[in-house]
Amino acid sequence: MEKRATIKDVAEAAGVGVATVSRVLSGGSASPQTRERVLAVAAQLDYRPSALGRNLRQRRTGGIGLLVPDLTDTFFAQFAEGVLACARSAGEPVVLGSTAGDPEQEAELIGMLLEQSVDRLIAVPSGEEDTWAPAIRAGMTVVFADRLPARPSPEEEDPAAAAVGDLMLLDGVAAPPPAHGRAGELPAVPSVLADDRAGIRTAVRYLRGLGHRRIAFLGGPGHDRRVSAFREAVGSPVDEELVVFGTGSRDSAYAAASGLFQSRPDLSAVVAGGNVLGEAAVLAARELDLRVPRDVSLVMYDDVPWAELCSPPLTVIAQPGRDMGYRAAELVLRSGGRRPRSVVLPTELIVRGSCGPHR
């Protein structure tokens, strides 16, 4: 039997990424040349994405898809444990995939799950909204967790329209609304999130109470809400040199932490946006002979087992990883025919020995 063409086959033949094929086939944004090439290749390979929607509507195979950026990250492992526990109690198998935080790999896995007629999906998203449009329009039940898909800026969507809008604003004229509003393109999707804003705000207030004024933030992919909360908490003007990002890998996190400590020896406290970044901050401080908390105080987002074993034990912003996974699985199993809803779970500042008064 001849093998049916997949979305990856179309992407390779057209010389574009899987995410680009998904956007074109779901009616999303793409240049006319790219759109024409993708559609031509799809026709040549007899690729028919509409069959995916029919499969999901007519034939339910059961099972839940679960996509996370990194299975070695302790938080995502805890999150997956919660999903598996709920799915097990409901008698549903789970198909687990790691996206490595790569939108192209994420789009490929979404396409694979669609082709296998998996009709429910829990995801910690890495790509933009367009990546998810094919799954949602095909009828798949999706629940986002920990974060939401990024929305491209207006400049990325239509640079010419953005430039015209800027000129109109300079002339005192209101810019016209976008020709196609993004909010209307992707239907409402339920989500399970932690209260990042409250957690970061509480941590910054705690450090301020200890006398710290030069507080840095170490961030990574998906930390938009956390860095926004940090900027709000420290107040204006924000010293942007103290807001540093890694790309997600441990090497990148270490480089970001080490570079921060060396470029700003005047900082007295750091808030790490995740456990990988917290681990990097501890290692970098040790390598540079910085004493915690005498030379630098440290707060880490995520409470993981090794945090209590550090010397000194780390002060953390704890989020309920396993509970988030369980609630996400409950939502994806019970959301059929119901109005989408989202859940925000509380965070907690757990004070240990890694923070001290500013000297």
Side-chain angles (χ1 to χ4, degrees):
M1 182 181 296
E2 186 177 349
K3 182 184 176 184
R4 189 176 57 144
T6 66
I7 194 171
K8 186 176 181 182
D9 296 330
V10 176
E12 290 177 351
V16 298
V18 173
T20 300
V21 176
S22 293
R23 282 198 299 272
V24 170
L25 297 179
S26 63
S29 58
S31 69
Q33 297 86 350
T34 300
R35 183 181 303 279
E36 184 177 345
R37 185 165 70 252
V38 169
L39 292 176
V41 169
Q44 183 181 359
L45 296 178
D46 195 26
Y47 178 72
R48 296 184 296 273
S50 59
L52 302 175
R54 289 197 299 272
N55 284 345
L56 289 178
R57 287 190 293 269
Q58 296 172 0
R59 175 171 62 87
R60 179 179 178 273
T61 61
I64 300 171
L66 172 60
L67 299 182
V68 297
D70 181 4
L71 285 170
T72 67
D73 184 305
T74 307
F75 167 74
F76 295 131
Q78 292 173 345
F79 175 80
E81 279 291 332
V83 172
L84 292 169
C86 183
R88 188 164 48 245
S89 67
E92 293 279 1
V94 176
V95 179
L96 179 60
S98 176
T99 66
D102 179 6
E104 292 287 337
Q105 192 166 325
E106 180 176 75
E108 183 179 333
L109 287 168
I110 293 169
M112 179 193 73
L113 292 170
L114 280 169
E115 288 166 357
Q116 294 177 355
S117 295
V118 174
D119 59 354
R120 295 186 174 111
L121 176 58
I122 298 167
V124 179
S126 298
E128 296 178 347
E129 285 186 346
D130 282 344
T131 305
W132 293 93
I136 294 168
R137 288 173 181 165
M140 179 179 276
T141 300
V142 178
V143 171
F144 294 130
D146 184 55
R147 65 185 75 154
L148 300 174
R151 289 186 175 184
S153 66
E155 292 78 6
E156 290 175 326
E157 291 187 45
D158 190 346
V164 170
D166 289 343
L167 290 173
M168 292 178 71
L169 287 172
L170 288 173
D171 289 337
V173 180
H180 52 282
R182 295 200 58 82
E185 289 185 8
L186 193 65
V189 176
S191 60
V192 178
L193 307 172
D195 194 348
D196 292 353
R197 187 175 300 275
I200 295 293
R201 184 170 59 237
T202 301
V204 172
R205 285 178 178 172
Y206 171 65
L207 290 170
R208 284 281 177 85
L210 292 173
H212 297 280
R213 293 296 177 266
R214 293 187 179 89
I215 305 171
F217 182 85
L218 272 173
H223 290 170
D224 296 347
R225 295 197 322 278
R226 294 174 194 175
V227 73
S228 176
F230 175 80
R231 287 191 170 103
E232 290 178 8
V234 298
S236 186
V238 177
D239 187 343
E240 292 297 338
E241 288 186 356
L242 293 178
V243 181
V244 177
F245 289 89
T247 61
S249 70
R250 280 173 166 76
D251 288 344
S252 173
Y254 178 82
S258 181
L260 174 65
F261 287 141
Q262 293 181 74
S263 65
R264 292 298 301 264
D266 59 326
L267 70 82
S268 64
V270 174
V271 178
N275 66 79
V276 172
L277 292 154
E279 175 186 323
V282 170
L283 294 175
R286 186 179 302 163
E287 289 290 326
L288 296 169
D289 292 326
L290 294 174
R291 295 162 296 179
V292 177
R294 183 179 179 87
D295 299 323
V296 61
S297 290
L298 179 60
V299 177
M300 179 177 73
Y301 198 104
D302 283 342
D303 189 19
V304 293
W306 59 261
E308 228 175 338
L309 302 177
C310 282
S311 180
L314 295 188
T315 294
V316 298
I317 303 165
Q319 60 174 337
R322 194 176 187 279
D323 288 348
M324 289 172 68
Y326 201 98
R327 295 293 291 274
E330 284 183 329
L331 276 186
V332 84
L333 288 169
R334 298 176 183 176
S335 61
R338 293 189 179 185
R339 203 171 171 186
R341 67 187 184 93
S342 295
V343 176
V344 178
L345 297 178
T347 55
E348 177 188 4
L349 182 69
I350 300 177
V351 176
R352 296 182 181 131
S354 62
C355 296
H358 178 51
R359 297 176 183 275

Coordinates of all heavy atoms in Angstrom, one line a residue, residues 206-294:
Y206 N 9.7 40.8 49.0 CA 10.5 40.2 50.0 C 11.9 40.7 50.0 O 12.6 41.0 51.0 CB 10.4 38.7 49.9 CG 11.4 37.9 50.8 CD1 11.2 37.9 52.2 CD2 12.4 37.2 50.2 CE1 12.1 37.2 53.0 CE2 13.3 36.4 51.0 CZ 13.1 36.5 52.4 OH 14.0 35.8 53.2
L207 N 12.5 40.7 48.7 CA 13.9 41.1 48.6 C 14.0 42.6 48.9 O 15.0 43.0 49.5 CB 14.4 40.9 47.1 CG 14.5 39.4 46.8 CD1 14.8 39.2 45.3 CD2 15.7 38.8 47.6
R208 N 13.0 43.4 48.5 CA 13.1 44.8 48.8 C 13.0 45.0 50.3 O 13.7 45.9 50.9 CB 11.9 45.5 48.2 CG 12.0 45.8 46.7 CD 12.9 47.0 46.4 NE 13.2 47.2 45.0 CZ 12.4 47.9 44.2 NH1 11.2 48.4 44.7 NH2 12.7 48.2 43.0
G209 N 12.3 44.2 51.0 CA 12.2 44.3 52.5 C 13.5 44.0 53.1 O 13.8 44.4 54.3
L210 N 14.4 43.2 52.5 CA 15.7 42.9 53.0 C 16.7 44.0 52.6 O 17.9 43.8 52.9 CB 16.2 41.5 52.4 CG 15.4 40.3 52.9 CD1 15.9 39.1 52.2 CD2 15.6 40.1 54.4
G211 N 16.3 45.0 51.9 CA 17.2 46.1 51.6 C 17.8 46.1 50.2 O 18.6 46.9 49.8
H212 N 17.4 45.1 49.4 CA 17.9 45.0 48.0 C 17.3 46.0 47.1 O 16.0 46.1 47.0 CB 17.8 43.5 47.5 CG 18.5 42.5 48.3 ND1 19.9 42.3 48.2 CD2 18.1 41.7 49.3 CE1 20.2 41.4 49.0 NE2 19.2 41.0 49.7
R213 N 18.1 46.6 46.2 CA 17.6 47.6 45.3 C 18.0 47.2 43.8 O 17.2 47.4 42.9 CB 18.1 49.0 45.6 CG 17.5 49.5 46.9 CD 16.0 49.7 46.8 NE 15.3 50.2 48.0 CZ 14.8 49.4 48.9 NH1 14.9 48.1 48.8 NH2 14.3 49.9 50.0
R214 N 19.2 46.6 43.7 CA 19.6 46.2 42.3 C 19.3 44.7 42.2 O 20.2 43.8 42.5 CB 21.1 46.5 42.1 CG 21.4 48.0 42.1 CD 22.8 48.2 41.7 NE 23.1 49.7 41.6 CZ 23.5 50.4 42.6 NH1 23.7 49.8 43.8 NH2 23.7 51.7 42.5
I215 N 18.1 44.4 41.8 CA 17.6 43.0 41.7 C 17.6 42.7 40.2 O 17.0 43.4 39.4 CB 16.2 42.9 42.3 CG1 16.2 43.4 43.8 CG2 15.7 41.4 42.2 CD1 14.9 43.5 44.4
A216 N 18.1 41.5 39.8 CA 18.2 41.1 38.5 C 17.1 40.0 38.2 O 16.7 39.3 39.2 CB 19.6 40.6 38.1
F217 N 16.8 39.8 36.9 CA 15.9 38.7 36.6 C 16.5 37.9 35.5 O 17.0 38.4 34.5 CB 14.6 39.3 36.1 CG 13.5 38.2 35.7 CD1 12.7 37.7 36.7 CD2 13.4 37.7 34.4 CE1 11.8 36.7 36.4 CE2 12.5 36.7 34.1 CZ 11.7 36.2 35.1
L218 N 16.6 36.6 35.7 CA 17.1 35.6 34.7 C 15.9 34.9 34.1 O 15.1 34.2 34.8 CB 18.0 34.6 35.3 CG 19.5 34.9 35.5 CD1 20.1 33.8 36.3 CD2 20.1 35.0 34.1
G219 N 15.6 35.1 32.8 CA 14.5 34.5 32.1 C 14.8 33.6 31.0 O 16.0 33.5 30.6
G220 N 13.8 32.9 30.5 CA 13.9 32.0 29.4 C 12.7 32.0 28.5 O 11.8 32.7 28.7
P221 N 12.6 31.0 27.6 CA 11.4 30.9 26.7 C 10.1 30.7 27.5 O 10.1 29.9 28.5 CB 11.8 29.7 25.9 CG 13.2 29.6 25.9 CD 13.7 30.0 27.3
G222 N 9.1 31.4 27.1 CA 7.8 31.3 27.8 C 7.7 32.0 29.1 O 6.7 31.9 29.8
H223 N 8.7 32.9 29.4 CA 8.6 33.6 30.7 C 8.1 35.1 30.5 O 8.4 35.9 31.3 CB 10.0 33.7 31.3 CG 10.5 32.3 31.8 ND1 11.8 32.1 32.3 CD2 9.8 31.2 32.0 CE1 11.9 30.8 32.6 NE2 10.7 30.2 32.5
D224 N 7.3 35.3 29.5 CA 6.8 36.7 29.2 C 6.1 37.2 30.4 O 6.2 38.4 30.8 CB 6.0 36.7 27.9 CG 6.7 36.3 26.7 OD1 8.0 36.3 26.8 OD2 6.1 36.0 25.7
R225 N 5.1 36.4 30.9 CA 4.3 36.9 32.0 C 5.2 37.2 33.3 O 5.0 38.1 34.0 CB 3.2 35.9 32.4 CG 2.2 35.7 31.3 CD 0.9 35.0 31.9 NE 1.2 33.9 32.8 CZ 1.5 32.7 32.6 NH1 1.7 32.3 31.3 NH2 1.7 31.8 33.5
R226 N 6.2 36.3 33.5 CA 7.1 36.5 34.7 C 7.9 37.7 34.6 O 8.1 38.5 35.5 CB 7.9 35.3 34.9 CG 7.1 34.0 35.2 CD 7.9 32.7 35.2 NE 7.0 31.6 35.2 CZ 7.4 30.3 35.2 NH1 8.7 30.0 35.2 NH2 6.5 29.4 35.2
V227 N 8.5 38.0 33.4 CA 9.4 39.2 33.3 C 8.5 40.4 33.3 O 8.9 41.5 33.8 CB 10.2 39.1 32.0 CG1 9.4 39.3 30.7 CG2 11.4 40.1 32.0
S228 N 7.3 40.4 32.8 CA 6.4 41.5 32.8 C 6.0 41.8 34.3 O 6.0 43.0 34.7 CB 5.1 41.2 32.0 OG 4.2 42.3 32.2
A229 N 5.8 40.8 35.1 CA 5.5 41.0 36.5 C 6.7 41.5 37.2 O 6.5 42.4 38.1 CB 5.0 39.6 37.1
F230 N 7.9 41.1 36.8 CA 9.1 41.6 37.5 C 9.3 43.1 37.2 O 9.6 43.8 38.1 CB 10.3 40.8 36.9 CG 11.6 41.3 37.5 CD1 12.1 41.0 38.7 CD2 12.4 42.2 36.7 CE1 13.3 41.5 39.2 CE2 13.6 42.6 37.2 CZ 14.1 42.3 38.4
R231 N 9.1 43.5 35.9 CA 9.2 44.9 35.6 C 8.2 45.7 36.4 O 8.6 46.8 36.9 CB 9.0 45.1 34.1 CG 10.2 44.6 33.3 CD 10.1 45.1 31.8 NE 11.3 44.8 31.1 CZ 11.4 43.8 30.2 NH1 10.4 43.0 30.0 NH2 12.6 43.6 29.6
E232 N 7.0 45.2 36.5 CA 6.0 46.0 37.3 C 6.4 46.1 38.8 O 6.2 47.1 39.4 CB 4.7 45.3 37.2 CG 4.0 45.4 35.8 CD 2.7 44.7 35.7 OE1 2.2 44.2 36.8 OE2 2.1 44.5 34.6
A233 N 6.9 45.0 39.3 CA 7.3 44.9 40.7 C 8.4 45.8 41.1 O 8.4 46.5 42.1 CB 7.6 43.5 41.1
V234 N 9.5 45.9 40.2 CA 10.6 46.7 40.5 C 10.3 48.2 40.3 O 11.0 49.1 40.8 CB 11.9 46.3 39.8 CG1 12.3 44.9 40.2 CG2 11.7 46.4 38.3
G235 N 9.4 48.5 39.4 CA 9.0 49.8 39.2 C 9.9 50.5 38.2 O 10.9 50.1 37.8
S236 N 9.4 51.7 37.7 CA 10.1 52.5 36.7 C 11.1 53.4 37.4 O 10.8 54.0 38.5 CB 9.1 53.2 35.9 OG 9.7 53.9 34.8
P237 N 12.3 53.6 36.8 CA 12.8 53.0 35.5 C 13.4 51.7 35.8 O 14.0 51.5 36.8 CB 13.8 54.0 35.0 CG 14.4 54.6 36.3 CD 13.2 54.7 37.3
V238 N 13.2 50.8 34.8 CA 13.8 49.4 34.9 C 15.2 49.4 34.4 O 15.4 49.9 33.2 CB 12.9 48.4 34.2 CG1 13.5 47.0 34.3 CG2 11.5 48.4 34.8
D239 N 16.1 48.9 35.1 CA 17.5 48.8 34.6 C 17.5 47.5 33.7 O 17.6 46.4 34.2 CB 18.5 48.6 35.8 CG 19.9 48.6 35.3 OD1 20.2 48.4 34.1 OD2 20.8 48.8 36.2
E240 N 17.4 47.7 32.4 CA 17.3 46.6 31.5 C 18.5 45.7 31.4 O 18.5 44.6 31.0 CB 17.0 47.1 30.0 CG 15.6 47.8 29.9 CD 14.4 46.8 30.2 OE1 14.7 45.6 30.1 OE2 13.3 47.2 30.6
E241 N 19.7 46.2 31.9 CA 20.9 45.4 31.9 C 20.7 44.3 33.0 O 21.4 43.3 32.9 CB 22.1 46.2 32.3 CG 22.6 47.1 31.1 CD 23.8 47.8 31.5 OE1 24.3 47.7 32.6 OE2 24.4 48.5 30.6
L242 N 19.8 44.5 33.9 CA 19.5 43.5 34.9 C 18.4 42.5 34.5 O 18.0 41.6 35.4 CB 19.2 44.2 36.2 CG 20.3 45.0 36.9 CD1 19.8 45.7 38.2 CD2 21.5 44.1 37.2
V243 N 17.9 42.6 33.3 CA 16.9 41.6 32.8 C 17.6 40.8 31.7 O 17.8 41.3 30.6 CB 15.7 42.3 32.3 CG1 14.6 41.3 31.8 CG2 15.1 43.2 33.4
V244 N 17.9 39.6 31.9 CA 18.8 38.8 31.0 C 18.0 37.5 30.7 O 17.3 36.9 31.5 CB 20.1 38.4 31.7 CG1 21.0 37.6 30.8 CG2 20.9 39.7 32.0
F245 N 18.2 37.0 29.4 CA 17.5 35.8 29.0 C 18.4 34.8 28.4 O 19.4 35.1 27.8 CB 16.5 36.2 27.8 CG 15.3 36.9 28.3 CD1 15.3 38.3 28.4 CD2 14.1 36.3 28.7 CE1 14.2 39.0 28.8 CE2 13.0 37.0 29.2 CZ 13.1 38.4 29.2
G246 N 18.1 33.5 28.7 CA 18.8 32.4 28.1 C 17.8 31.8 27.0 O 16.6 32.2 27.0
T247 N 18.3 30.9 26.2 CA 17.5 30.3 25.1 C 16.7 29.1 25.5 O 15.9 28.6 24.8 CB 18.3 30.0 23.9 OG1 19.3 29.0 24.3 CG2 19.0 31.2 23.4
G248 N 17.0 28.6 26.7 CA 16.3 27.4 27.2 C 17.2 26.2 27.6 O 16.9 25.4 28.4
S249 N 18.4 26.1 26.9 CA 19.3 25.0 27.2 C 20.1 25.3 28.5 O 20.2 26.5 28.9 CB 20.3 24.8 26.1 OG 21.2 25.9 26.0
R250 N 20.6 24.3 29.1 CA 21.4 24.5 30.4 C 22.7 25.3 30.1 O 23.1 26.2 30.9 CB 21.7 23.2 31.0 CG 20.6 22.6 31.8 CD 20.8 21.2 32.3 NE 19.8 20.8 33.3 CZ 18.6 20.5 33.0 NH1 18.1 20.5 31.8 NH2 17.7 20.2 34.0
D251 N 23.3 25.1 29.0 CA 24.5 25.9 28.6 C 24.2 27.3 28.5 O 24.9 28.2 28.9 CB 25.1 25.3 27.3 CG 25.8 24.0 27.5 OD1 26.1 23.6 28.7 OD2 26.1 23.3 26.5
S252 N 23.1 27.6 27.8 CA 22.7 29.0 27.6 C 22.3 29.7 28.9 O 22.6 30.8 29.1 CB 21.5 29.0 26.6 OG 20.9 30.4 26.5
A253 N 21.6 28.9 29.8 CA 21.3 29.5 31.1 C 22.5 29.8 31.9 O 22.6 30.9 32.5 CB 20.4 28.5 31.8
Y254 N 23.5 28.9 31.9 CA 24.7 29.2 32.6 C 25.5 30.4 32.0 O 26.0 31.2 32.8 CB 25.7 27.9 32.5 CG 27.0 28.2 33.2 CD1 27.1 28.0 34.6 CD2 28.1 28.6 32.5 CE1 28.3 28.3 35.3 CE2 29.3 28.8 33.2 CZ 29.4 28.7 34.6 OH 30.6 28.9 35.2
A255 N 25.5 30.5 30.7 CA 26.2 31.6 30.1 C 25.5 32.9 30.5 O 26.1 34.0 30.7 CB 26.2 31.5 28.6
A256 N 24.1 32.9 30.5 CA 23.4 34.1 30.9 C 23.7 34.5 32.3 O 23.9 35.7 32.6 CB 21.9 33.9 30.6
A257 N 23.7 33.5 33.2 CA 23.9 33.8 34.6 C 25.3 34.3 34.9 O 25.6 35.3 35.6 CB 23.6 32.6 35.5
S258 N 26.3 33.6 34.3 CA 27.7 34.0 34.4 C 27.9 35.4 33.9 O 28.6 36.2 34.5 CB 28.6 33.0 33.7 OG 29.9 33.3 33.9
G259 N 27.4 35.7 32.7 CA 27.6 37.0 32.1 C 27.0 38.1 32.9 O 27.5 39.2 33.1
L260 N 25.8 37.8 33.5 CA 25.1 38.8 34.4 C 26.0 39.1 35.6 O 26.2 40.3 35.9 CB 23.8 38.2 34.8 CG 23.0 39.1 35.8 CD1 22.6 40.4 35.2 CD2 21.7 38.3 36.3
F261 N 26.5 38.1 36.3 CA 27.3 38.3 37.5 C 28.6 39.1 37.2 O 29.0 39.9 37.9 CB 27.6 37.0 38.1 CG 26.5 36.3 38.8 CD1 26.4 34.9 38.8 CD2 25.6 37.0 39.5 CE1 25.3 34.3 39.4 CE2 24.5 36.4 40.2 CZ 24.4 35.0 40.1
Q262 N 29.2 38.8 36.0 CA 30.4 39.4 35.7 C 30.2 40.9 35.2 O 31.1 41.7 35.4 CB 31.2 38.6 34.6 CG 31.6 37.3 35.2 CD 32.4 36.5 34.1 OE1 33.5 36.7 33.8 NE2 31.7 35.4 33.6
S263 N 29.1 41.1 34.4 CA 28.9 42.4 33.9 C 28.3 43.4 34.9 O 28.5 44.6 34.8 CB 28.0 42.4 32.7 OG 26.7 41.9 33.0
R264 N 27.6 42.9 35.9 CA 27.0 43.7 36.9 C 27.4 43.3 38.3 O 26.5 42.7 39.1 CB 25.5 43.7 36.7 CG 25.0 44.4 35.5 CD 25.4 45.9 35.4 NE 24.9 46.6 36.5 CZ 23.7 47.4 36.5 NH1 23.1 47.4 35.3 NH2 23.3 48.0 37.5
P265 N 28.6 43.5 38.8 CA 29.0 43.1 40.1 C 28.3 43.9 41.2 O 28.4 43.5 42.4 CB 30.5 43.4 40.1 CG 30.7 44.4 39.0 CD 29.7 44.1 38.0
D266 N 27.6 45.0 40.8 CA 26.9 45.8 41.8 C 25.5 45.2 42.2 O 24.9 45.6 43.1 CB 26.7 47.2 41.3 CG 25.9 47.2 40.0 OD1 26.1 46.3 39.1 OD2 25.1 48.2 39.7
L267 N 25.0 44.2 41.4 CA 23.7 43.6 41.8 C 23.8 42.9 43.1 O 24.9 42.3 43.4 CB 23.2 42.7 40.6 CG 23.9 41.3 40.4 CD1 23.4 40.2 41.3 CD2 23.6 40.9 38.9
S268 N 22.7 42.8 43.8 CA 22.7 42.2 45.1 C 21.8 41.0 45.2 O 21.8 40.3 46.2 CB 22.5 43.2 46.2 OG 21.1 43.7 46.1
A269 N 20.9 40.9 44.3 CA 19.9 39.8 44.3 C 19.4 39.4 42.9 O 19.5 40.2 42.0 CB 18.7 40.2 45.2
V270 N 19.1 38.1 42.8 CA 18.6 37.6 41.5 C 17.3 36.8 41.7 O 17.2 36.0 42.6 CB 19.7 36.7 40.8 CG1 19.2 36.0 39.6 CG2 21.0 37.5 40.5
V271 N 16.4 37.0 40.8 CA 15.2 36.1 40.7 C 15.4 35.3 39.4 O 15.4 35.9 38.3 CB 13.9 37.0 40.6 CG1 12.7 36.0 40.4 CG2 13.7 37.8 41.8
A272 N 15.5 34.0 39.6 CA 15.6 33.1 38.4 C 14.2 32.6 38.0 O 13.4 32.1 38.8 CB 16.5 31.9 38.8
G273 N 13.9 32.7 36.7 CA 12.5 32.5 36.2 C 12.1 31.0 36.1 O 11.0 30.7 35.8
G274 N 13.1 30.1 36.4 CA 12.7 28.7 36.3 C 13.8 27.9 37.0 O 14.9 28.4 37.3
N275 N 13.6 26.6 37.2 CA 14.6 25.8 37.9 C 15.9 25.6 37.1 O 17.0 25.4 37.7 CB 14.0 24.5 38.4 CG 13.6 23.5 37.2 OD1 14.5 22.9 36.7 ND2 12.4 23.5 36.9
V276 N 15.9 25.5 35.8 CA 17.1 25.4 35.0 C 17.9 26.7 35.2 O 19.2 26.6 35.3 CB 16.8 25.1 33.6 CG1 18.0 25.2 32.7 CG2 16.1 23.8 33.4
L277 N 17.3 27.8 35.2 CA 18.0 29.1 35.4 C 18.5 29.2 36.8 O 19.6 29.7 37.1 CB 17.0 30.2 35.0 CG 16.7 30.3 33.6 CD1 15.3 31.0 33.4 CD2 17.8 31.0 32.8
G278 N 17.7 28.7 37.8 CA 18.2 28.7 39.2 C 19.4 27.9 39.4 O 20.3 28.3 40.1
E279 N 19.4 26.7 38.8 CA 20.5 25.8 38.8 C 21.8 26.5 38.2 O 22.9 26.5 38.8 CB 20.2 24.5 38.1 CG 21.4 23.6 38.0 CD 21.0 22.4 37.1 OE1 19.9 21.9 37.1 OE2 21.9 21.9 36.3
A280 N 21.6 27.2 37.1 CA 22.7 27.9 36.4 C 23.2 29.0 37.3 O 24.4 29.2 37.4 CB 22.2 28.5 35.1
A281 N 22.3 29.7 38.0 CA 22.7 30.8 38.9 C 23.6 30.3 40.0 O 24.6 30.9 40.4 CB 21.5 31.6 39.4
V282 N 23.2 29.2 40.6 CA 23.9 28.6 41.7 C 25.3 28.2 41.2 O 26.3 28.5 41.9 CB 23.2 27.4 42.3 CG1 24.1 26.6 43.2 CG2 21.9 27.8 43.0
L283 N 25.4 27.5 40.1 CA 26.7 27.1 39.5 C 27.6 28.2 39.2 O 28.8 28.2 39.5 CB 26.5 26.2 38.3 CG 25.8 24.8 38.6 CD1 25.5 24.1 37.3 CD2 26.6 24.0 39.5
A284 N 27.0 29.3 38.5 CA 27.8 30.4 38.1 C 28.3 31.2 39.3 O 29.5 31.6 39.3 CB 27.0 31.3 37.2
A285 N 27.5 31.3 40.4 CA 28.0 32.0 41.6 C 29.1 31.2 42.2 O 30.1 31.8 42.7 CB 26.8 32.1 42.5
R286 N 29.0 29.9 42.2 CA 30.0 29.1 42.8 C 31.3 29.2 42.0 O 32.4 29.4 42.6 CB 29.6 27.6 42.9 CG 30.5 26.7 43.6 CD 30.0 25.3 43.6 NE 28.7 25.2 44.2 CZ 27.8 24.2 44.0 NH1 28.1 23.2 43.3 NH2 26.7 24.2 44.6
E287 N 31.2 29.2 40.7 CA 32.4 29.3 39.9 C 33.1 30.7 40.1 O 34.3 30.8 39.9 CB 32.1 29.1 38.4 CG 31.7 27.7 38.0 CD 32.9 26.8 38.0 OE1 34.0 27.2 37.7 OE2 32.7 25.6 38.4
L288 N 32.3 31.7 40.3 CA 32.9 33.1 40.4 C 33.2 33.4 41.9 O 33.4 34.6 42.2 CB 31.9 34.1 39.8 CG 31.6 33.9 38.3 CD1 30.5 34.8 37.8 CD2 32.9 34.3 37.5
D289 N 33.1 32.5 42.8 CA 33.4 32.7 44.2 C 32.4 33.7 44.8 O 32.8 34.5 45.7 CB 34.8 33.1 44.4 CG 35.8 32.0 44.1 OD1 35.4 30.8 44.4 OD2 36.9 32.2 43.6
L290 N 31.2 33.7 44.4 CA 30.2 34.6 45.0 C 29.5 33.8 46.1 O 29.0 32.7 45.8 CB 29.2 35.1 43.9 CG 29.7 36.0 42.9 CD1 28.6 36.3 41.8 CD2 30.2 37.3 43.5
R291 N 29.4 34.3 47.3 CA 28.8 33.6 48.4 C 27.3 33.9 48.4 O 26.9 35.1 48.3 CB 29.4 33.9 49.7 CG 30.9 33.5 49.8 CD 31.6 34.2 50.9 NE 31.7 35.7 50.6 CZ 32.3 36.6 51.4 NH1 32.8 36.2 52.5 NH2 32.3 37.8 51.1
V292 N 26.5 32.9 48.5 CA 25.0 33.0 48.7 C 24.6 32.7 50.1 O 25.0 31.7 50.7 CB 24.3 32.0 47.8 CG1 22.8 32.1 47.9 CG2 24.6 32.3 46.3
P293 N 24.0 33.7 50.9 CA 23.5 35.0 50.4 C 24.3 36.2 50.7 O 23.9 37.3 50.5 CB 22.2 35.0 51.1 CG 22.5 34.4 52.5 CD 23.5 33.3 52.2
R294 N 25.6 35.9 51.2 CA 26.4 37.1 51.7 C 26.6 38.1 50.5 O 26.5 39.3 50.7 CB 27.7 36.6 52.3 CG 28.6 37.7 52.8 CD 29.8 37.1 53.4 NE 30.7 38.2 54.0 CZ 30.6 38.7 55.2 NH1 29.7 38.3 56.0 NH2 31.4 39.7 55.6

